[in-house]
Amino acid sequence: MEINDTQENINEELLIQTANEGNLDSFREEFLDLHPYDQAQFFFKIDKEIRLKMYYYLSPKEVADFFEMLEIEDEEYKDILAEMEPKYAAEMLANMYADNAVDLLNKLGKDQTASYLTIMDKDAAQEIKGLLHYEEYTAGSIMTTEYVAISQNQTVRSAMYILKKQAPTAETIYYVYVIDEDLRLAGVLSLRDLIITDDDTMISDIMSDRVVSISVGDDQEEAARQMRDYDLLALPVVDFQNHLLGIITVDDIIDVIDEEASDDYSKLAGISDLDKMDKSPFTAAKKRLPWLIILLFLGMFTASLIGRFEDTLSQVPIVAVFIPLIAGMAGNAGTQSLAVAVRGLATGEMDESGKFKIILKEAGTGIVTGAICGILVSLVIFIWKHDLILGLLVGFSIFASLLVATIGGSLVPLFMHKLKIDPAVASGPFITTMNDITSILIYFGLATMLMSYLIQ
Amino acid sequence: MEINDTQENINEELLIQTANEGNLDSFREEFLDLHPYDQAQFFFKIDKEIRLKMYYYLSPKEVADFFEMLEIEDEEYKDILAEMEPKYAAEMLANMYADNAVDLLNKLGKDQTASYLTIMDKDAAQEIKGLLHYEEYTAGSIMTTEYVAISQNQTVRSAMYILKKQAPTAETIYYVYVIDEDLRLAGVLSLRDLIITDDDTMISDIMSDRVVSISVGDDQEEAARQMRDYDLLALPVVDFQNHLLGIITVDDIIDVIDEEASDDYSKLAGISDLDKMDKSPFTAAKKRLPWLIILLFLGMFTASLIGRFEDTLSQVPIVAVFIPLIAGMAGNAGTQSLAVAVRGLATGEMDESGKFKIILKEAGTGIVTGAICGILVSLVIFIWKHDLILGLLVGFSIFASLLVATIGGSLVPLFMHKLKIDPAVASGPFITTMNDITSILIYFGLATMLMSYLIQ
C-alpha cells in the first residue's frame, strides 16, 4: 500500500518562495526543521536554480546530513555534485558518515574521487581512503569506522564520558565495543547496559565477551543474516586476527536485504536492475532485450529440435496440441525447485552438508507431483479424446518432465553455489527454456516410438 | 555465502553432559552466557528429555528471553508449549515482549490462548489482550506496547530517571516519545539527544515535534517503507486521533521486509510458503501441487484451443515447431512487466496517479522489444527455412504477442492493486499461462489466414 505521507510534511511552496525571495533565515528555519529524508526529497525535486541558492544558504555539513538519504541514479549524483563548487562538495563528503561517502565516491570516476580527496580535510580523506579499497558486496564495503570503542579497565562513569564526547560523530552510540591493548575486539555492551548500571562498576564486569562479529571479506548477505538472526542494531567487522575494523549499522543492512531480495526477484523474472524505475520505453527495453534475445535463440534451438520430428508431426498432428501444456508444466516445476534452492541458499537454511539430501528430496517431490499430474492428465485426455495411448503418452511425458525439471531446478543453483557463482544467476527464464528442451525431447521421443499406435 | 558461525559459539556436548548429570550450576553458567539466538538454536535442536530438564533449571523469564528468537513451524511451537506445565508456559508468555507473545498465541488455537490468559499474571494478560485483536499484516499486529513515554514539561534529568527505571522492560530505550495530557503523540527524542544535552534542559526545548508515525490499521509494508526511508530504529503507531498506541521496532521490520520479499518471490515462482524448508517430499509436494494442478487445467484449455486448429496443423505441420518459441517469449515478456509492476507497487515508486503513464510506457516497451525480436526472428527463419511467409508469420506473431503480454503483465497487477488485492497474487505462472493462450490464438489465427500461402 502506498501512501504519500512525505508530501504532508513538506511545505514546498513556502520553501521555494523564501528561497526565491532570498529570505535566508525563514528558509533555514523551515528547511532545517524537516527530517533529513524529507529534506532530500525536496532537494532532489526542485529546480537546479533553487539548489544553487541552497548551497549558499546551507553549510556543507547541513547538506551532508540529508545527502545521505538521497536515493537516485548514479548519473544524477554526478550531475548534482557537478553543480557544487569542488571545495564545497569535498567538505560535504568529509561531513558524511565515512561509509556513505565511500558509497557516493564509488559512483563517481576514479579521477573525480582522487580530486575530491586531495582538497578534503586530511583526517576525513584518510578515513575514506581506508574504506575505498574493500570489494563490493563484502562486509568491509558497507562498514563505517565511526564507532565507539573503549578499554575494559575503566568504570561505567568514564565510559559514559567517552560516549558523550563521541556521540555527535559516531554513527551509532547504542553499542559500545571493548578492545584490548592490541586493538582486538574483546567485548560488547549496549548503551542500555551502561545506563542501568551503577557508575562505579567496571566495564569488564558488565561487558559480554561472546561478541557476534563478521570477517571483513565476508559477503554482505552473511552480515544481514547474522544481524537478522541475532536482532542486532550494529555488527562489528574484524580482520583475521580479530582486530576491530569497523561496524555495520542496521539501516545499511535493511538496504542490503532489500537489494538482495530485489536482485533474486529480478533474476527469476529475467530482467536486470529492477529497482530503478525506467523513464522511457527505450531504457526499459534496453534492460529487457538481452534476456529476450537470448531466449529467442534458445527458442529457435527448441524449434529446430521439434523440426526433427516433422515426420511424427505430419502423421499425428494431434501431438502438437499438448506441446505448451508439457513445456509449461515442466517449466513451472523447474522454477519452483529453483526458487526453493535459491531462497534456501540465500537464507542459509540450506548448507553444504545437506546438498545430497536436498537433491534426493527434490527427486522425491518430482516423483510425487509428476505421478499425480501424470495420472490426472491421462485420465482427462482419455475421457476427452477417448484415446488411451495418447493419454498415457502425455501423462508419462509429464511425469518424466516434472521429475527431470525438479531435479534440474535444484541441481543447477547448488552447482553454481559450489562454483561460487551467485545461484540466482540461474534465472527463471533459463531454467524454463532448459526444461522446455528436455520435456519436448522426452515427449517427441516417446511420441515417435508410439507413432504406429497413435495413427488411427 | 553460508558460514555456520553459530556452531562455534555453542559447546553442545558440555551442555548436554551437565544437563544429564544434573549439574544445575554448570549448566546455567554455560547456557546463560550464550546469546539468546544461540540458546534458542540449542533448545530446539536437543532431545525432548533434555528440554524437560531445562524447564526445571531455568526460570520462565530465562526461557522467555530466548523463546522469542525461535524460528520454527507453528506445529512445532504447539508441541514445545505442550511439553511445559501450563502455569510455566503462561508465566513464560507473560515475560515475553507483548508483541512476540501475541505472535506466538496467534499460532495456537483460541481455546489454548484463552486458557493461558486465564492463569497468567493479570497485567501481562491485559497487555496481550489489547494487542490480540489487531488484524494480521497491519501496523497494529506487529507493534509492542513496551515503549518509553514522557511528558514535555520536565527536564532531561527527570527524563533520564524515568528511562533508567523503564529500561529493563521496554523493548527499546533508544527513542523516547513525548505525549501531551490527552496521551496524544507530541514529539520524539533519541537517547542520543538526551545524553548529549545538559541535565537541566527542558524536554520541550530539544524534542522534535515533526514525528514520523503510522496509523494502527495501515499495512505493515507501509511501516517498513517508512522505517527504511527515514532510517528509524522504531516507529510510533497512533490511532486516528493521534493517540500513541505502541511502537514498531526495527528487528520486527526486518522480518516483515524478509517475509514480504519472500512472498513476492514465491508467488512469481508459483509456490506457497517458501520460507520454511520442507522435511519430506510429501510436504514439499503439498505446497507445489495446487499451483501445478491449476496450471494443468489451464494447459488443457490451451491444448483444446490448439485442438480447434487441427486442420491448420495437419496441413502445415511446420507451424507446430514454433509453438514453444512464441509462447515462451510471450510468457517471459509478461513476467518481466509483472515483476516491474509488482516491485514498483511494493516499493511505492509506482503510484495511483502515474498508472496511465505506466501502461503507456509498458506498451511502448512492448512495441520496441516486439519489433526488434520480431524482425530478428523473421530474418533467422527466412535464412534457415527460405520461407518468407513463415518468417513473417512467426515474426509478426512474436511482435503482437510481446505487445499484448507486456501490457497485460502490467495491467493485471495494477488492476488488482486498484481492487485492494495484493498484486503479487497475479503470480508468474498465471501471467505465463494467460500469455500462452493469447499468443497461441494470435499465432494460429494468423497461420490459418495465411494457410494457402504456407502450403507449398
Side-chain angles (χ1 to χ4, degrees):
Chain A
M1 216 177 78
E2 144 72 4
I3 301 168
N4 224 331
D5 269 350
T6 52
Q7 293 313 313
E8 299 168 21
N9 299 336
I10 313 177
N11 191 341
E12 232 169 87
E13 274 173 47
L14 179 67
L15 280 168
I16 293 174
Q17 194 194 324
T18 50
N20 277 331
E21 285 169 357
N23 195 334
L24 178 67
D25 291 336
S26 313
F27 179 85
R28 284 180 56 86
E29 190 183 335
E30 181 70 19
F31 185 80
L32 294 177
D33 195 30
L34 292 177
H35 188 284
Y37 176 75
D38 295 325
Q39 294 178 345
Q41 297 288 99
F42 173 79
F43 175 79
F44 182 61
K45 215 175 150 190
I46 47 149
D47 296 334
K48 185 182 164 182
E49 51 179 307
I50 300 208
R51 275 205 298 274
L52 291 178
K53 286 186 182 161
M54 286 173 68
Y55 304 136
Y56 287 98
Y57 292 175
L58 303 170
S59 72
K61 161 115 189 58
E62 285 160 348
V63 174
D65 284 345
F66 68 78
F67 213 85
E68 307 183 291
M69 310 293 268
L70 275 177
E71 276 164 21
I72 55 181
E73 300 265 356
D74 293 3
E75 281 307 314
E76 295 166 334
Y77 276 114
K78 283 185 197 168
D79 293 345
I80 287 186
L81 279 170
E83 293 172 6
M84 304 179 191
E85 299 272 333
K87 188 95 190 118
Y88 189 97
E91 206 175 327
M92 181 196 73
L93 282 161
N95 273 293
M96 285 168 75
Y97 287 121
D99 55 338
N100 297 331
V102 168
D103 259 8
L104 184 51
L105 287 171
N106 275 331
K107 296 181 209 287
L108 312 175
K110 278 194 176 172
D111 287 355
Q112 219 178 331
T113 301
S115 87
Y116 282 134
L117 288 174
T118 320
I119 49 178
M120 192 183 290
D121 165 79
K122 286 232 169 50
D123 284 350
Q126 208 52 47
E127 201 158 7
I128 288 171
K129 275 182 202 157
L131 289 174
L132 264 176
H133 67 271
Y134 291 109
E135 244 179 287
E136 242 188 327
Y137 309 121
T138 61
S141 74
I142 54 168
M143 74 181 184
T144 179
T145 47
E146 286 130 330
Y147 54 86
V148 182
I150 57 174
S151 83
Q152 57 186 305
N153 305 317
Q154 54 186 319
T155 59
V156 167
R157 183 181 294 107
S158 71
M160 280 300 283
Y161 178 77
I162 295 173
L163 200 78
K164 278 183 199 184
K165 247 184 27 191
Q166 296 196 16
T169 57
E171 191 158 342
T172 183
I173 58 162
Y174 301 135
Y175 287 120
V176 178
Y177 297 96
V178 182
I179 46 177
D180 65 16
E181 315 76 57
D182 303 320
L183 305 179
R184 286 198 176 85
L185 182 61
V188 66
L189 35 90
S190 67
L191 180 50
R192 190 198 290 242
D193 298 330
L194 283 175
I195 281 191
I196 59 178
T197 312
D198 188 75
D199 274 357
D200 294 315
T201 314
M202 291 299 291
I203 292 300
S204 53
D205 290 339
I206 55 166
M207 76 178 197
S208 157
D209 54 3
R210 298 214 186 184
V211 197
V212 180
S213 66
I214 190 162
S215 292
V216 69
D218 278 355
D219 197 295
Q220 58 180 11
E221 270 189 81
E222 175 59 19
R225 200 175 70 75
Q226 292 210 17
M227 289 185 76
R228 190 192 55 210
D229 286 346
Y230 289 96
D231 281 356
L232 302 172
L233 298 179
L235 180 69
V237 181
V238 294
D239 66 10
F240 70 105
Q241 290 180 308
N242 205 32
H243 292 121
L244 181 59
L245 301 178
I247 61 166
I248 300 173
T249 50
V250 73
D251 53 310
D252 295 323
I253 280 301
I254 288 182
D255 295 340
V256 167
I257 293 175
D258 251 6
E259 262 168 43
E260 302 271 358
S262 189
D263 202 41
D264 287 356
Y265 188 81
S266 27
K267 278 175 188 145
L268 191 64
I271 186 167
S272 32
D273 208 5
L274 194 60
D275 249 9
K276 301 205 171 109
M277 282 306 248
D278 300 302
K279 294 219 168 104
S280 88
F282 296 99
T283 56
K286 220 172 100 186
K287 285 183 189 171
R288 302 187 204 176
L289 269 173
W291 297 87
L292 288 174
I293 289 173
I294 293 170
L295 284 180
L296 190 73
F297 282 96
L298 286 171
M300 292 300 298
F301 177 68
T302 316
S304 77
L305 278 182
I306 303 180
R308 297 188 169 219
F309 295 98
E310 247 190 282
D311 251 17
T312 314
L313 269 173
S314 60
Q315 293 193 45
V316 253
I318 183 89
V319 163
V321 162
F322 299 100
I323 296 176
L325 172 69
I326 292 171
M329 293 289 290
N332 194 252
T335 308
Q336 290 179 330
S337 297
L338 171 76
V340 169
V342 168
R343 282 300 292 183
L345 289 167
T347 56
E349 281 182 80
M350 196 179 265
D351 59 3
E352 294 285 330
S353 60
K355 271 192 186 179
F356 186 66
K357 247 170 64 192
I358 287 151
I359 307 280
L360 268 187
K361 203 199 69 196
E362 283 298 315
T365 311
I367 290 172
V368 175
T369 53
I372 292 175
C373 292
I375 292 169
L376 206 60
V377 95
S378 297
L379 279 176
V380 173
I381 291 175
F382 178 64
I383 293 165
W384 176 29
K385 295 275 177 189
H386 306 288
D387 188 337
L388 183 63
I389 302 293
L390 184 66
L392 288 177
L393 165 65
V394 178
F396 187 78
S397 299
I398 289 220
F399 168 73
S401 305
L402 253 58
L403 179 58
V404 173
T406 313
I407 297 174
S410 59
L411 253 185
V412 170
L414 283 170
F415 186 67
M416 293 189 131
H417 186 242
K418 184 106 201 153
L419 297 178
K420 309 255 175 225
I421 304 172
D422 179 359
V425 172
S427 57
F430 285 107
I431 290 283
T432 303
T433 311
M434 205 185 79
N435 288 324
D436 272 5
I437 294 171
T438 54
S439 61
I440 277 161
L441 281 178
I442 292 170
Y443 179 51
F444 274 96
L446 280 173
T448 309
M449 275 166 56
L450 295 173
M451 195 149 66
S452 54
Y453 304 100
L454 288 166
I455 305 172
Q456 287 163 332
Chain B
M1 217 176 79
E2 143 72 4
I3 301 167
N4 224 331
D5 269 350
T6 52
Q7 292 315 312
E8 298 169 21
N9 299 336
I10 313 176
N11 192 340
E12 233 168 87
E13 273 173 48
L14 179 67
L15 280 169
I16 292 174
Q17 194 193 323
T18 50
N20 277 330
E21 285 169 359
N23 195 334
L24 179 68
D25 291 337
S26 312
F27 179 85
R28 284 180 57 85
E29 190 182 336
E30 182 71 20
F31 185 79
L32 294 177
D33 195 30
L34 293 176
H35 188 284
Y37 175 75
D38 294 325
Q39 294 177 344
Q41 296 288 99
F42 173 79
F43 175 79
F44 182 62
K45 216 175 149 191
I46 45 150
D47 297 333
K48 186 182 163 185
E49 50 178 309
I50 300 207
R51 274 205 298 274
L52 291 178
K53 286 186 182 163
M54 286 173 68
Y55 304 136
Y56 287 98
Y57 293 176
L58 302 169
S59 72
K61 160 119 190 56
E62 284 160 350
V63 174
D65 285 346
F66 69 78
F67 214 85
E68 307 183 290
M69 310 294 267
L70 274 179
E71 277 163 21
I72 55 180
E73 300 265 356
D74 294 2
E75 281 307 315
E76 293 166 334
Y77 276 114
K78 284 186 197 169
D79 293 345
I80 287 186
L81 279 170
E83 293 173 5
M84 304 180 191
E85 300 271 333
K87 188 95 190 115
Y88 189 97
E91 206 176 326
M92 181 196 75
L93 282 161
N95 273 292
M96 286 168 74
Y97 287 121
D99 56 338
N100 297 332
V102 168
D103 260 8
L104 184 50
L105 287 171
N106 276 330
K107 295 182 210 288
L108 312 176
K110 280 194 175 172
D111 287 354
Q112 220 179 328
T113 301
S115 87
Y116 282 134
L117 288 174
T118 319
I119 49 179
M120 192 183 292
D121 164 79
K122 286 233 168 48
D123 285 350
Q126 209 50 50
E127 200 159 7
I128 288 171
K129 275 182 201 155
L131 289 173
L132 264 175
H133 67 270
Y134 291 109
E135 243 179 288
E136 243 190 325
Y137 309 121
T138 61
S141 73
I142 54 167
M143 75 180 182
T144 178
T145 46
E146 287 130 329
Y147 53 85
V148 182
I150 56 174
S151 83
Q152 57 186 305
N153 305 317
Q154 56 186 317
T155 59
V156 167
R157 183 181 293 106
S158 70
M160 279 300 283
Y161 178 76
I162 295 174
L163 200 77
K164 277 184 200 182
K165 248 185 24 193
Q166 296 196 17
T169 57
E171 191 158 343
T172 183
I173 58 162
Y174 301 135
Y175 287 119
V176 177
Y177 297 96
V178 183
I179 46 177
D180 64 18
E181 315 78 56
D182 302 321
L183 305 179
R184 286 199 174 85
L185 182 61
V188 65
L189 36 89
S190 67
L191 179 51
R192 190 197 290 241
D193 297 330
L194 283 175
I195 281 190
I196 60 178
T197 312
D198 188 74
D199 274 357
D200 294 315
T201 314
M202 291 298 290
I203 292 300
S204 52
D205 291 339
I206 55 165
M207 75 179 198
S208 157
D209 54 4
R210 299 213 186 184
V211 196
V212 181
S213 66
I214 191 161
S215 293
V216 68
D218 278 355
D219 197 296
Q220 58 178 12
E221 270 190 79
E222 176 59 20
R225 200 176 69 75
Q226 291 210 16
M227 289 185 78
R228 189 192 56 209
D229 284 348
Y230 288 97
D231 281 356
L232 302 173
L233 298 179
L235 179 70
V237 181
V238 294
D239 66 10
F240 69 107
Q241 289 180 309
N242 205 31
H243 292 124
L244 182 59
L245 302 178
I247 61 166
I248 300 173
T249 50
V250 72
D251 53 311
D252 295 324
I253 279 301
I254 288 183
D255 294 340
V256 168
I257 292 175
D258 251 6
E259 261 168 44
E260 302 270 359
S262 191
D263 202 41
D264 287 356
Y265 188 80
S266 25
K267 279 175 187 146
L268 192 63
I271 185 167
S272 32
D273 208 6
L274 194 60
D275 248 10
K276 303 211 170 104
M277 282 307 248
D278 300 301
K279 293 218 168 105
S280 88
F282 297 98
T283 55
K286 220 172 100 186
K287 285 183 188 171
R288 302 186 203 176
L289 268 173
W291 297 87
L292 289 174
I293 289 173
I294 293 171
L295 284 180
L296 191 71
F297 282 95
L298 286 171
M300 293 298 300
F301 177 68
T302 316
S304 77
L305 278 182
I306 303 181
R308 296 186 171 221
F309 295 98
E310 248 191 280
D311 249 19
T312 314
L313 270 173
S314 60
Q315 292 193 47
V316 253
I318 183 91
V319 164
V321 162
F322 298 101
I323 296 175
L325 171 69
I326 292 170
M329 292 290 290
N332 194 252
T335 309
Q336 290 179 330
S337 297
L338 171 77
V340 169
V342 168
R343 282 301 291 183
L345 289 168
T347 56
E349 281 183 80
M350 195 180 266
D351 57 5
E352 294 285 330
S353 61
K355 271 193 184 176
F356 186 67
K357 247 170 66 191
I358 287 152
I359 308 278
L360 268 187
K361 202 199 70 197
E362 283 297 316
T365 312
I367 290 173
V368 175
T369 53
I372 292 175
C373 291
I375 291 168
L376 206 61
V377 94
S378 297
L379 280 176
V380 172
I381 291 175
F382 180 65
I383 293 164
W384 176 28
K385 296 275 176 188
H386 306 289
D387 187 336
L388 183 64
I389 303 294
L390 184 67
L392 289 177
L393 164 66
V394 179
F396 187 78
S397 300
I398 289 220
F399 169 72
S401 305
L402 253 58
L403 178 58
V404 173
T406 313
I407 297 175
S410 59
L411 253 184
V412 171
L414 283 170
F415 186 67
M416 294 190 130
H417 186 243
K418 184 106 200 154
L419 297 178
K420 309 258 176 223
I421 304 173
D422 179 0
V425 172
S427 57
F430 286 106
I431 289 284
T432 304
T433 311
M434 205 184 81
N435 288 325
D436 271 7
I437 293 171
T438 54
S439 62
I440 278 161
L441 281 178
I442 291 170
Y443 179 50
F444 275 96
L446 280 173
T448 309
M449 275 165 57
L450 295 173
M451 195 149 68
S452 54
Y453 305 100
L454 289 165
I455 304 172
Q456 286 164 333

